[in-house]
Amino acid sequence: MEQKTTVLIIGAGPAGLATSACLNLKNIANIVLEREDCAASLWRKRAYDRLKLHLAKEFCQLPHMPFPAGSPTFIPKNAFISYLDDYVDKFDVSPLFCRSAVSASLEAGSGKWNVVAQNLASGGMERYEAEFLVVATGENSEGFIPRVEGLDSFEGEVLHSSKFENGGRFEGKEVLVVGSGNSGMEIALDLANWGARTSIVIRSPVHVLTENMVRLGMTLLAYLPLYLVDNLVMIIGDLRHGRLTKYGIIKPKEGPFALKVSTGRSPVIDVGTIGKIKAGEIQVLPAMKMVKGNKVEFSNGRVKSFDAIVFATGYNSTVKKWLKGDGDSLFAENGMPKVKLPNHWKGENGLYCAGFASAGLAGVAQDAKKISQDIHATLFPLPK
């Protein structure tokens, strides 16, 4: 089977849905391919139960559709999924599901993109031709578990955070969470609340703020220099949490918003984990050194037994598995854009990416609008 369209979008997460919606509003034909059997599969299938959007709703809405009146400031997972379903209906986005991209290449003669996708339902191969190709598979395509010496010998359960739903089945067990980003901290809290004997590896310096501190900072960034906002929220953070060094949590030298800009790393938004750490209900440990049986040795020489290890260690992009040489104008070998925000979204020969800026849903919305505007300007240039 072969289909032709103006724009082909790979991925039906928020980035792909938003890009299709913006193109639909400009009456530009597009097709969305999604390897899973639903839109926003990360949210539906790979997000833990207690997850909420970590940023206030005004920083998380997709283009042309605010959250419903009366929505809470911080949107729960299921409410966000409902919002996405309504978004799809409102803007007539119709992804083709169970389509896994196998290859994408630029045809030398026509200058058009040829994409081969496997229909995972039928097993057959399908071909698509488009003038423009938008990669919207995102940064969180494939769960990453780092190499740890002896991990294969671990006698308990090992899982990535994308497989973690809640801590109910871990009650009374010794559980180690590896990773101190927002997911790791919140999973550790959930485990402790369910009665698991919880430890967390915090290896790198991290800023710890609250939802409202981040909301305040993001609001002030529209009016004040970044360094002033960073200094203010760090002072407020210290007043709220005190000095956390004695609990094994080191603050980075760079401010939270400056660090987000330079590295893409977000501050931890505390929803109760710090209180559990201070109370001794969650134990902080340094980097893992090796595993032997059910015992884990840490970089400080300590050895401790565990029943389960949850790796909240992030994701990898899988773009380079199917987008080869013709994607080199935009993507590096790690599957991320070569150019940083704000010029990350556009490559050469009609190639774009959405949702790769490490800028959350606000970044997704900006990408979708810029891409649709650029494609429209290419197709319908203004007279000189």
Side-chain angles (χ1 to χ4, degrees), residues 302-350:
R302 182 171 179 184
V303 178
K304 186 174 171 63
S305 297
F306 293 97
D307 300 302
I309 304 175
V310 181
F311 282 92
T313 43
Y315 293 81
N316 284 333
S317 165
T318 58
V319 173
K320 296 296 283 187
K321 290 184 178 181
W322 53 270
L323 181 62
K324 304 297 183 181
D326 291 319
D328 289 347
S329 68
L330 185 55
F331 290 99
E333 279 306 310
N334 65 355
M336 295 296 289
K338 290 180 175 180
V339 180
K340 295 286 187 181
L341 184 79
N343 301 312
H344 63 284
W345 55 277
K346 183 178 180 180
E348 298 174 357
N349 303 309

Side-chain angles (χ1 to χ4, degrees), residues 144-146 160-161 178-179 310-315:
F144 170 71
I145 293 180
H160 188 264
S161 58
V178 182
V310 181
F311 282 92
T313 43
Y315 293 81

Side-chain angles (χ1 to χ4, degrees), residues 26 28 371-382:
K26 296 180 182 297
I28 298 173
I371 291 167
S372 64
Q373 289 164 0
D374 195 72
I375 291 175
H376 185 271
T378 302
L379 292 171
F380 309 105
L382 295 174

Side-chain angles (χ1 to χ4, degrees), residues 11-13 17 32-46 85 94-100 118-122:
L17 301 179
V32 182
L33 302 183
E34 167 58 47
R35 71 181 177 186
E36 299 290 341
D37 60 359
C38 61
S41 63
L42 179 65
W43 290 89
R44 296 179 197 273
K45 297 182 177 183
R46 293 183 283 160
D85 288 339
S94 302
L96 299 180
F97 297 119
C98 300
R99 266 71 171 191
S100 179
Q118 183 179 19
N119 185 322
L120 299 178
S122 69

Side-chain angles (χ1 to χ4, degrees), residues 255-267:
F257 293 106
L259 195 64
K260 177 67 175 175
V261 171
S262 64
T263 69
R265 288 174 51 201
S266 299

Side-chain angles (χ1 to χ4, degrees), residues 46 48 143-146 158-164 175-188 191 199-203 268 288 309-315:
R46 293 183 283 160
Y48 47 92
F144 170 71
I145 293 180
V158 175
L159 68 156
H160 188 264
S161 58
S162 59
K163 304 296 183 184
F164 181 89
V175 184
L176 176 65
V177 179
V178 182
S180 55
N182 281 303
S183 294
M185 288 290 214
E186 197 159 351
I187 287 170
L191 286 162
S199 302
I200 184 170
V201 168
I202 301 182
R203 190 177 53 135
V268 167
M288 298 172 72
I309 304 175
V310 181
F311 282 92
T313 43
Y315 293 81

Side-chain angles (χ1 to χ4, degrees), residues 197-344:
R197 297 189 293 274
T198 308
S199 302
I200 184 170
V201 168
I202 301 182
R203 190 177 53 135
S204 304
V206 62
H207 287 288
V208 180
L209 305 174
T210 66
E211 293 171 330
N212 285 319
M213 289 178 203
V214 173
R215 186 186 190 188
L216 172 65
M218 293 184 72
T219 301
L220 290 177
L221 283 171
Y223 308 98
L224 298 175
L226 186 147
Y227 78 93
L228 284 180
V229 176
D230 268 344
N231 288 337
L232 176 61
V233 296
M234 284 193 292
I235 290 170
I236 297 172
D238 287 345
L239 290 173
R240 170 66 182 267
H241 298 301
R243 304 240 175 222
L244 298 176
T245 307
K246 63 181 177 180
Y247 300 103
I249 302 172
I250 309 298
K251 191 192 319 183
K253 294 179 180 179
E254 196 172 6
F257 293 106
L259 195 64
K260 177 67 175 175
V261 171
S262 64
T263 69
R265 288 174 51 201
S266 299
V268 167
I269 300 174
D270 179 53
V271 291
T273 310
I274 297 302
K276 294 281 188 183
I277 290 172
K278 289 180 175 180
E281 296 177 48
I282 297 174
Q283 188 172 22
V284 174
L285 294 167
M288 298 172 72
K289 183 177 180 181
M290 64 178 295
V291 178
K292 188 173 183 180
N294 67 341
K295 298 182 185 296
V296 178
E297 182 179 348
F298 298 90
S299 61
N300 62 357
R302 182 171 179 184
V303 178
K304 186 174 171 63
S305 297
F306 293 97
D307 300 302
I309 304 175
V310 181
F311 282 92
T313 43
Y315 293 81
N316 284 333
S317 165
T318 58
V319 173
K320 296 296 283 187
K321 290 184 178 181
W322 53 270
L323 181 62
K324 304 297 183 181
D326 291 319
D328 289 347
S329 68
L330 185 55
F331 290 99
E333 279 306 310
N334 65 355
M336 295 296 289
K338 290 180 175 180
V339 180
K340 295 286 187 181
L341 184 79
N343 301 312
H344 63 284

Side-chain angles (χ1 to χ4, degrees), residues 9-219:
I9 301 167
I10 311 295
L17 301 179
T19 304
S20 179
C22 289
L23 290 168
N24 287 345
L25 288 174
K26 296 180 182 297
N27 296 312
I28 298 173
N30 65 90
I31 293 174
V32 182
L33 302 183
E34 167 58 47
R35 71 181 177 186
E36 299 290 341
D37 60 359
C38 61
S41 63
L42 179 65
W43 290 89
R44 296 179 197 273
K45 297 182 177 183
R46 293 183 283 160
Y48 47 92
D49 293 346
R50 64 171 289 129
L51 178 65
K52 295 188 298 183
L53 296 181
H54 291 123
L55 300 182
K57 60 186 178 184
E58 61 264 33
F59 301 109
C60 296
Q61 60 194 27
L62 297 185
H64 312 296
M65 185 173 140
F67 286 99
S71 297
T73 301
F74 299 95
I75 306 294
K77 178 182 81 169
N78 289 337
F80 184 61
I81 291 170
S82 296
Y83 167 82
L84 292 177
D85 288 339
D86 293 341
Y87 191 85
V88 164
D89 290 340
K90 179 173 181 178
F91 297 108
D92 196 26
V93 180
S94 302
L96 299 180
F97 297 119
C98 300
R99 266 71 171 191
S100 179
V102 175
S103 67
S105 59
L106 189 69
E107 189 176 280
S110 67
K112 294 186 177 181
W113 288 95
N114 287 313
V115 175
V116 177
Q118 183 179 19
N119 185 322
L120 299 178
S122 69
M125 292 295 180
E126 300 172 352
R127 296 183 180 275
Y128 298 85
E129 181 184 276
E131 296 177 49
F132 306 93
L133 177 64
V134 180
V135 179
T137 50
E139 305 162 273
N140 301 328
S141 187
E142 184 176 77
F144 170 71
I145 293 180
R147 291 183 180 180
V148 179
E149 182 182 345
L151 184 60
D152 290 344
S153 73
F154 185 65
E155 296 171 355
E157 182 180 0
V158 175
L159 68 156
H160 188 264
S161 58
S162 59
K163 304 296 183 184
F164 181 89
E165 295 179 352
N166 61 65
R169 64 188 180 89
F170 297 100
E171 183 179 358
K173 295 184 177 181
E174 290 280 354
V175 184
L176 176 65
V177 179
V178 182
S180 55
N182 281 303
S183 294
M185 288 290 214
E186 197 159 351
I187 287 170
L189 174 63
D190 193 64
L191 286 162
N193 286 341
W194 279 100
R197 297 189 293 274
T198 308
S199 302
I200 184 170
V201 168
I202 301 182
R203 190 177 53 135
S204 304
V206 62
H207 287 288
V208 180
L209 305 174
T210 66
E211 293 171 330
N212 285 319
M213 289 178 203
V214 173
R215 186 186 190 188
L216 172 65
M218 293 184 72
T219 301

